[in-house]
Amino acid sequence: MVLSKTASESDVSVHSTFASRYVRTSLPRQARGSMPEESIPKEAAFQIINDELMLDGNPRLNLASFVTTWMEPECDKLIMASINKNYVDMDEYPVTTELQNRCVNMIAHLFNAPLKESEAAVGVGTVGSSEAIMLAGLAFKRKWQNRRKEEGKPYDKPNIVTGANVQVVEREIDSLKQVCWEKFARYFEVELKEVKLRDGYYVMDPEKAVELVDENTICVAAILGSTLNGEFEDVKRLNDLLVEKNKQTGWDTPIHVDAASGGFIAPFIYPELEWDFRLPLVKSINVSGHKYGLVYAGIGWVIWRSKEDLPEELIFHINYLGADQPTFTLNFSKGSSQVIAQYYQLIRLGYEGYRNVMENCRDNMLVLKEGLEKTGRFDIVSKDNGVPLVAFTLKDHTHFDEFQISDLLRRFGWIVPAYTMPPDAQHVTVLRVVIREDFSRTLAERLVVDVEKVLHELDSLPSRVISSTSAIEQNGKVVVGKKSALETQREITAVWKKFVLERKKLNDKMNGVC
């Protein structure tokens, strides 16, 4: 007897996923959509999600981001093997805890922390530099408050001094920025004093920063690697000026170094540069492991100069999962994978490997810079010494601007952000390409070719609707005068930003986002 079986629609083992009803069924697409009532086979769920994710940009071609997009397959295996470990379960996963402590010590020595031979470094792994900055800021605020209480002085108006170029995360094309130092100031009720930028000088001026310091300043935050143009701020000059001011006033204003981008660069290719714990007023440093620490997104570090710089009352001792666990974080549970990946990179590459990677990045940055300069169409805003990136602006904004170049480069797969500089330099619009470990010379040369194609296409288009003339009234008569290049650029930028915002609102409306 032959036994037969009628396959049901849900029998995905018989049907191909693309032959099943699941690819015909509409799934919730709106932000307010509810969860489906019925389950679907795992194969169908995977295929549907995988297909939709194909519409994302290619991370390797996302030149807006500093975040690592490639690691060795061996490290990928370690990440997947530890993806189910909750880092906070320190008693259950003691080896993982030990690996984090080793990372902290290696990074502290890299930053020249003044440690004795057997002394353990003071630091912690975080989910990124934003959390690291919050923790460092809290330590400065609490130390300042404790000192003011001992002196019998008011402690309700703390402030922090930093540059207007503080770490930002640019949204491609959009000028909206998320500023972690501003977050800290707003969330923890600290006044933010910003040193404004100026045309041609896009980092914090140490002299102006020290002028803003008063008795309520909890620290001055310097940036080793501005996200705007990659430039290192002069931390040594800032330290020397603050030492002098502290002597004159009797204050004890310290420095925090936001080395999110530059902390894993300077020690390897600029070892003589004094920016770290070699300077006496530098009390804490944060660095992003997921940037030039060469680890996937989700790991940062904050290191303190000594135990005295981290108030004990901020450290929690938790006896919840079987043992006393000292912790100083803004969250509780987090994955172990990125900590393990950081340890892998530190021992796998060593000093020699990191130096080679950073030198390669710098060399490929110079290839891209020279290629763009040869077009004769751009001024380079970034510096050769600093984070390996190229920030550049058009010499002539008469017919098109940087936002249009950014938009058209998308056709070739490149994600290159265009943005305006912060206040007092906001009339300057730049494009920026971040050179990461996986950005080869071949890609740099290819990008130059594609930029030239975009320029040729824009040159062939009709002139922009915006007129380069303006009408003014003189003696009762209207006189048409030619606008300056700066006025034209500002008007183009304003119109383009308005267009982008309107498009964003339309997209949000279509997606049901309020």
Side-chain angles (χ1 to χ4, degrees):
M1 175 183 286
V2 178
L3 297 177
S4 63
K5 177 182 178 182
T6 303
S8 68
E9 276 191 308
S10 62
D11 190 356
V12 80
S13 64
V14 175
H15 292 294
S16 162
T17 299
F18 289 112
S20 71
R21 63 186 173 90
Y22 302 107
V23 295
R24 301 195 305 269
T25 304
S26 178
L27 293 177
R29 295 186 180 277
Q30 305 299 324
R32 297 194 182 107
S34 58
M35 183 167 43
E37 291 293 332
E38 298 178 354
S39 302
I40 64 175
K42 60 182 182 295
E43 296 87 351
F46 170 82
Q47 193 66 57
I48 290 168
I49 296 171
N50 187 66
D51 289 352
E52 197 163 6
L53 287 173
M54 290 192 301
L55 300 174
D56 268 347
N58 185 335
R60 294 278 304 277
L61 299 181
N62 178 10
L63 307 183
S65 178
F66 292 83
V67 176
T68 297
T69 53
W70 179 87
M71 296 189 74
E72 293 176 326
E74 290 77 10
C75 192
D76 290 344
K77 292 177 183 178
L78 287 173
I79 289 173
M80 294 309 299
S82 58
I83 202 165
N84 59 351
K85 289 184 181 179
N86 186 358
Y87 173 76
V88 78
D89 297 349
M90 297 180 183
D91 199 46
E92 284 75 7
Y93 308 123
V95 175
T96 300
T97 303
E98 173 61 23
L99 296 187
Q100 186 219 228
N101 294 339
R102 293 177 192 174
C103 289
V104 167
N105 278 284
M106 290 183 198
I107 297 170
H109 281 94
L110 194 65
F111 295 166
N112 294 292
L115 301 172
K116 297 178 182 177
E117 187 172 343
S118 59
E119 184 180 0
V122 181
V124 66
T126 63
V127 294
S129 276
S130 289
E131 183 189 5
I133 283 172
M134 302 290 172
L135 297 177
L138 280 172
F140 282 118
K141 181 181 179 183
R142 184 58 59 90
K143 283 211 60 166
W144 174 83
Q145 287 177 327
N146 291 343
R147 185 171 65 251
R148 298 284 289 183
K149 289 177 183 178
E150 292 174 0
E151 296 172 351
K153 297 179 180 178
Y155 54 90
D156 59 335
K157 294 182 179 180
N159 69 66
I160 185 170
V161 175
T162 189
N165 58 318
V166 287
Q167 180 188 321
V168 298
V169 180
E170 290 87 4
R171 296 177 57 179
E172 214 267 327
I173 298 180
D174 197 344
S175 64
L176 297 177
K177 297 181 175 66
Q178 181 184 33
V179 186
C180 61
W181 282 107
E182 186 176 343
K183 274 187 172 183
F184 166 74
R186 189 178 302 177
Y187 291 173
F188 298 103
E189 299 180 319
V190 176
E191 179 189 359
L192 183 66
K193 291 185 173 183
E194 286 188 342
V195 178
K196 300 301 180 183
L197 309 185
R198 62 179 185 270
D199 196 359
Y201 194 87
Y202 304 120
V203 292
M204 180 177 70
D205 185 329
E207 281 78 8
K208 292 183 178 180
V210 173
E211 288 174 5
L212 293 177
V213 171
D214 59 30
E215 62 179 348
N216 294 319
T217 302
I218 63 174
C219 78
V220 179
I223 301 176
L224 192 77
S226 168
T227 55
L228 299 177
N229 68 346
E231 189 173 353
F232 292 163
E233 291 183 347
D234 192 345
V235 186
K236 187 178 189 309
R237 176 63 177 160
L238 176 65
N239 178 86
D240 295 344
L241 290 171
L242 265 181
V243 166
E244 187 62 31
K245 185 159 188 172
N246 286 342
K247 286 181 181 178
Q248 295 174 358
T249 60
W251 303 335
D252 189 22
T253 307
I255 295 172
H256 173 85
V257 179
D258 178 0
S261 299
F264 276 109
I265 297 173
F268 302 108
I269 56 178
Y270 307 111
E272 302 304 318
L273 181 67
E274 294 184 50
W275 63 274
D276 52 19
F277 292 121
R278 285 171 288 184
L279 303 176
L281 291 184
V282 174
K283 303 298 182 181
S284 57
I285 301 171
N286 69 275
V287 64
S288 291
H290 58 222
K291 292 181 180 176
Y292 289 94
L294 307 180
V295 178
Y296 293 138
I299 185 69
W301 304 92
V302 57
I303 311 294
W304 282 272
R305 185 184 191 87
S306 66
K307 292 181 180 179
E308 290 72 27
D309 297 305
L310 176 58
E312 176 64 29
E313 62 264 33
L314 292 178
I315 302 174
F316 285 84
H317 295 269
I318 301 172
N319 187 17
Y320 171 57
L321 297 171
D324 179 66
Q325 302 170 26
T327 177
F328 180 39
T329 59
L330 295 180
N331 65 326
F332 191 65
S333 296
K334 70 175 181 180
S336 298
S337 298
Q338 265 61 18
V339 171
I340 294 169
Q342 183 72 83
Y343 183 68
Y344 172 89
Q345 292 289 53
L346 290 172
I347 67 168
R348 159 77 176 95
L349 295 174
Y351 191 94
E352 176 189 27
Y354 269 96
R355 185 184 66 240
N356 289 340
V357 169
M358 302 311 154
E359 287 177 347
N360 286 344
C361 290
R362 181 179 59 186
D363 291 346
N364 289 330
M365 176 267 291
L366 293 174
V367 169
L368 178 61
K369 174 193 170 187
E370 291 168 3
L372 293 170
E373 286 178 327
K374 286 180 180 177
T375 67
R377 307 291 291 273
F378 299 106
D379 287 323
I380 305 299
V381 177
S382 51
K383 306 294 183 181
D384 289 348
N385 295 331
V387 177
L389 62 81
V390 182
F392 51 105
T393 183
L394 280 166
K395 292 182 177 180
D396 181 6
H397 293 82
T398 305
H399 301 294
F400 53 87
D401 62 15
E402 291 82 1
F403 294 100
Q404 289 175 286
I405 295 175
S406 174
D407 205 26
L408 290 184
L409 281 172
R410 281 275 196 167
R411 297 182 184 179
F412 298 94
W414 303 107
I415 302 174
V416 178
Y419 54 88
T420 55
M421 288 294 192
D424 288 2
Q426 65 267 34
H427 61 279
V428 179
T429 308
V430 299
L431 293 152
R432 190 199 65 196
V433 175
V434 177
I435 310 300
R436 299 190 302 270
E437 175 188 17
D438 55 349
F439 188 81
S440 64
R441 177 173 183 142
T442 300
L443 288 178
E445 293 171 344
R446 179 73 193 191
L447 177 57
V448 173
V449 170
D450 290 341
V451 168
E452 290 176 328
K453 291 179 181 178
V454 166
L455 291 173
H456 178 72
E457 180 176 351
L458 289 171
D459 285 336
S460 65
L461 294 176
S463 297
R464 174 178 288 278
V465 175
I466 297 176
S467 172
S468 62
T469 60
S470 59
I472 57 176
E473 186 173 334
Q474 294 181 355
N475 300 324
K477 296 181 179 180
V478 176
V479 179
V480 178
K482 188 171 179 62
K483 292 182 180 179
S484 68
L486 180 58
E487 289 174 325
T488 302
Q489 181 182 355
R490 285 176 173 170
E491 189 171 354
I492 291 173
T493 301
V495 171
W496 188 259
K497 287 167 68 175
K498 181 180 178 182
F499 165 73
V500 171
L501 288 173
E502 289 175 350
R503 187 173 68 176
K504 178 180 179 296
K505 290 177 182 178
L506 178 61
N507 290 338
D508 289 346
K509 185 177 181 180
M510 293 175 65
N511 292 328
V513 178
C514 59

